[in-house]
Each structure stands twice: as C-alpha cells, then as structure tokens.
Amino acid sequence: MSPDPYDVVIRARRLIGPRGETAGSVAVRDGRIAAVAPHDAPPPAARTVELADDEVLLPGLVDTHVHVNDPGRAEWEGFPTATRAAAAGGITTLLDMPLNSLPPTVDPESLAVKRESARGRVHVDVGFWGGAIPGNRAHLGPLHDAGVFGFKSFLLHSGVDEFPPLDAAGLEAALAELATRDALLIVHAENSAAIDAAPSPHGEHYRDFLASRPRGAEDVAIAQVLDLARRTGGRVHVLHLSSSDALPMIAAAKADGVRVTVETCPHYLCFTAEEIPDGATQFKCCPPIREAANRERLWQGLADGTIDCVVSDHSPCTPELKRLDTGDFGVAWGGVSSLQLGLSAVWTQARLRGHGLADVVRWMAGRTAEIAGLHRKGAVEPGADADLCAFAPDDAFVVDAAGLHHRNPVTAYQGRALAGRVRRTWLRGEPVDVAGPPRGTLLSRGEA
C-alpha cells in the first residue's frame, strides 16, 4: 500500500465484494478504489467513514434500462429527477434508452442533442443506448463510434410513432451490421403478429389486458432473435423477460454458444397477475406482469443463470397518461416507475427464497456492468470507480410515492412494505447529495 494517506476510507463490518461477503476497509484515491484492506487494519486517510452495524457496503448498482424521456418529454421524467431517484436507490450508473425522448437517439446528431440535454444535470453517471429502426442502418456505425453502448430495437409498435419497429429482414440486416463491430443489439421481443391475433386490450379488467399480451408473443419473438444470433454470430440481449416459457430455449441457446444475455425486472419478480386489482393501471407494462407460477419460474431462471440480470425498465409518464381516472388498461401508458425502489423490491423477494445480498449485487451491479461493457463499475475491488452505497437490509418501510424522487408520484409499489433501505450513496468516493449540484459524468462506451 502507498505510504501516503488515501482520500477516504470507508469501513464496513459487512461488505459485498467479488468473492462474497466479508468485512473490510475500502480505500479511495482520485475517485477509484485503490485498496480493500482488513476492517481492523484500515490504512491512513484524510477522512474515515464508519458504516453502522446494520449497514452493508455494496457497489453502486448499474441500471442499464431506464427511460429518462429527456429532451422532448421531460414532463414524463427528466435527467435531474431520474438521477436523484437513482442515487436514492443505490444506483450510481444508468443507461438511458433511445426512445420517448425527442428526437430519439437514432443518429449521431440526435445523440449529441441527448448528451447536451443531460450535461451538468445528472447526479449519477449516465450513458446512452442507440436505436436500430427502419432506414437508419447507415447511422449504426457512426453511432457506435460516437460511444453508445449498443442498439435497441422493437419487433412491434414501440408506443411512440417516431421509433418504429424492425421487421424480420430489418432485424437480420441490423444484427449483421452490428456483428461486424461486435456491437450489442438489445431487443424488445414481442411478436407483432401474435399480439395482433390476440384479443384487443380494453376496459378495467386486468385479465383482459393480460390476454392481449400472451406469453406466446414473447416466445415466438425470442426464438426469432436466437435464430438470427445463431446464424450471424452477433451479440443479442433480450429485454425485460416476463414469459418463463422461453427459459428452456434460452438455456439451450446459451449451451450451444449463442451469444445471448437476458434481463428481467423487479415488477416481474415481485408482483403477480392474481393480485392486481381491476383498474390499477399503475401496474400496466409491456410485456405484462404474469401469474404467480410464472414468477417462481423466473426466480429459478435467475438462480440457475439462464436470466443474467435485473434492471428497472423505469418507464414513467404523467399521471394523466396512466388513465387512473378510468382504469382502462387499453389506453393507459404501459410502464412501471420503480427506479428508486428496485434494490429494496428485489431484496424483499430474494431473501424469502434463500438468496443473499451477494446474489442481488451480481444481478443488479456486476452482471449489468459486464454486459454493457462498463469495466470500472459494479464491483468493490481495486481499480473500480469508488461508486458505493450503504444498504440496511433489515430496515423495513412502506412505499409512499409522494416521497420518491422521480418526477411524477405514480408507482405500482405504492403502499407496499419493502425490506432494505439505501442510506447513503457515493459517486467516485464522494457522497451524493441529491439536493446539491449534480456531479455525475456522461459516459461513452470504451471509456468506462
């Protein structure tokens, strides 16, 4: 160790590192973790922080699926509010989706607009996905060179007209183009024809909405994505998996060497279709929250590694667009607002199934960082950015949407009892003050 004092040392009797839980002293210099020393032998530092006995030191979470909607629809969310919510939930890095903002991030010029909108307004580190849509194949290479972390595509209407879906030929062409750069294609995998053939969503009955987005629509689309990845050798990532029926073919594809990774979301792991009241459109998301037995199979997929990671898919809107006044699932915007609550929500359910905090950290920090290529994020180890959070796993609370930091006080978790509270968050070794000036950095692929 260096004889010079470190900038700060954070001491924790419980710390989740790459090899599981231990006690330790994390020494920080110039925003990076310089050393992890024994708890009872901390190195000298200008400042020492002692975690409370009931707190666990975790790496800052990495949420790679967030809809910030800024610029253009900042009344739905926005960089200041989204990143405050992220920091309050232990997230120190997020990747912003390319749609719902205006313009969508589908060429280098629109990426520049997005970055300028975010500059100086983020409380955590933020990177950006690009989009793959009809007609922008020539922009994929320049967007990749400009630093996006990969490319999102839809196989059905995205919900906004300015981000249209790819057909089968377009998906294959995009994946072939991206494979030449080893770039990642992330896919909203629901089959448009299967959903067109399903009953139309309408009214306040959740069971009718669920019937309008059948598991088979996911399964057919995922099979298509896996086949194309197998044939092109490209890297693909299946977004927000809700259908457990797709797990066997995903596992088989992985065993065959297909380059596929898969995420799911806290709402699919926490809620069940059977408990959603009629008219409760705050639970509407696409694909939908499914039945209890399906939820348990998703948990098994996480446990055995078929599902790689858990991300928020934070997709907020104004209260009016949720149509809470009518409770009509057919016209309400689809998306669950959960950016600040994901860690507590997943931990609440994980501990009931025998999982530890090391598992949760792997799903929500280590693996997400690895998939996105964020090499300095998601771990408490020397060389990593000193992005950390103090989490009290036994500190229970009841969710009050009015006390959350995201822009509009609507969430499916309202009134839900959760275990575990984030008490402090550090970005590059400095505590994040959500009421103070933003100190987050805009990230580019290859530089983080």
Side-chain angles (χ1 to χ4, degrees):
M1 292 185 187
S2 167
D4 299 324
Y6 292 100
D7 300 331
V8 62
V9 165
I10 302 174
R11 300 180 68 215
R13 289 176 175 82
R14 297 178 64 191
L15 177 157
I16 305 298
R19 287 167 293 281
E21 184 172 320
T22 184
S25 300
V26 178
V28 178
R29 177 175 286 132
D30 298 329
R32 301 273 188 93
I33 297 175
V36 180
H39 177 263
D40 57 0
R47 249 178 332 120
T48 298
V49 177
E50 302 271 357
L51 264 61
D53 289 347
D54 67 336
E55 294 176 341
V56 185
L57 187 66
L58 311 181
L61 304 187
V62 177
D63 190 340
T64 54
H65 194 149
V66 181
H67 294 270
V68 180
N69 309 327
D70 191 358
R73 292 190 175 99
E75 71 276 13
W76 292 17
E77 188 56 278
F79 284 109
T81 50
T83 56
R84 286 189 196 108
I91 297 163
T92 51
T93 303
L94 66 82
L95 297 188
D96 174 55
M97 283 292 166
L99 71 158
N100 300 347
S101 56
L102 295 170
T105 313
V106 294
D107 53 42
E109 293 75 21
S110 58
L111 174 63
V113 171
K114 176 76 70 78
R115 290 179 65 88
E116 190 58 34
S117 178
R119 196 176 312 279
R121 303 174 68 224
V122 296
H123 292 272
V124 301
D125 287 355
V126 174
F128 305 96
W129 296 108
I133 64 171
N136 84 323
R137 184 176 177 181
H139 296 303
L140 299 181
L143 264 175
H144 179 77
D145 295 341
V148 298
F149 285 81
F151 296 85
K152 182 173 188 177
S153 62
F154 277 77
L155 304 184
L156 78 172
H157 195 277
S158 68
V160 290
D161 291 339
E162 67 272 7
F163 200 94
L166 294 173
D167 60 16
L171 183 70
E172 182 169 11
L175 188 52
E177 178 75 21
L178 296 178
T180 65
R181 294 171 168 80
D182 200 33
L184 182 63
L185 182 68
I186 64 176
V187 185
H188 182 124
E190 288 183 284
N191 180 267
S192 181
I195 287 179
D196 289 345
S200 297
H202 64 280
E204 64 179 7
H205 297 306
Y206 185 77
R207 65 177 180 270
D208 293 336
F209 169 64
L210 187 60
S212 77
R213 313 289 292 217
R215 295 187 205 184
E218 277 191 89
D219 304 337
V220 169
I222 291 170
Q224 177 187 6
V225 170
L226 295 176
D227 176 63
L228 287 176
R230 191 186 306 271
R231 290 194 280 114
T232 64
R235 296 168 58 214
V236 296
H237 180 76
V238 175
L239 297 168
H240 45 51
L241 179 71
S242 83
S243 171
S244 63
D245 291 351
L247 291 170
M249 67 174 155
I250 293 168
K254 287 188 170 192
D256 288 345
V258 176
R259 304 172 74 196
V260 58
T261 51
V262 181
E263 69 184 36
T264 192
C265 305
H267 38 277
Y268 302 130
L269 299 171
C270 294
F271 302 121
T272 65
E274 293 91 339
E275 69 181 319
I276 297 176
D278 287 344
T281 52
Q282 64 269 34
F283 290 89
K284 179 181 176 179
C285 54
C286 300
I289 295 163
R290 303 192 189 278
E291 301 84 355
N294 182 87
R295 177 183 67 174
E296 297 313 309
R297 288 191 289 271
L298 291 178
W299 274 105
Q300 183 55 47
L302 266 177
D304 65 25
T306 305
I307 299 173
D308 295 88
C309 60
V310 182
V311 296
S312 69
D313 189 12
H314 178 71
S315 185
C317 65
T318 60
E320 293 77 16
L321 289 175
K322 267 298 184 184
R323 297 312 302 266
L324 299 170
D325 54 341
T326 65
D328 188 338
F329 283 96
V331 296
W333 177 260
V336 173
S337 297
S338 63
L339 192 56
Q340 189 171 332
L341 301 170
L343 175 57
S344 299
V346 172
W347 170 239
T348 299
Q349 295 293 321
R351 69 194 306 193
L352 296 176
R353 293 165 176 82
H355 298 292
L357 277 173
D359 297 319
V360 174
V361 165
R362 183 174 70 255
W363 299 328
M364 303 186 76
R367 194 71 178 109
T368 47
E370 183 180 7
I371 290 167
L374 290 156
H375 304 297
R376 298 201 308 268
K377 304 294 188 181
V380 182
E381 62 183 4
D385 287 347
D387 300 345
L388 305 160
C389 77
F391 183 63
D394 298 319
D395 188 356
F397 66 102
V398 175
V399 176
D400 178 4
L404 300 177
H405 288 282
H406 67 254
R407 185 176 180 90
N408 293 294
V410 177
T411 179
Y413 292 90
Q414 172 67 24
R416 189 89 168 187
L418 298 178
R421 192 188 299 265
V422 174
R423 291 189 178 156
R424 283 177 286 181
T425 304
W426 292 267
L427 186 67
R428 288 182 292 281
E430 293 295 327
V432 178
D433 176 8
V434 297
R439 293 190 301 101
T441 295
L442 303 186
L443 304 175
S444 293
R445 178 190 42 77
E447 299 176 0

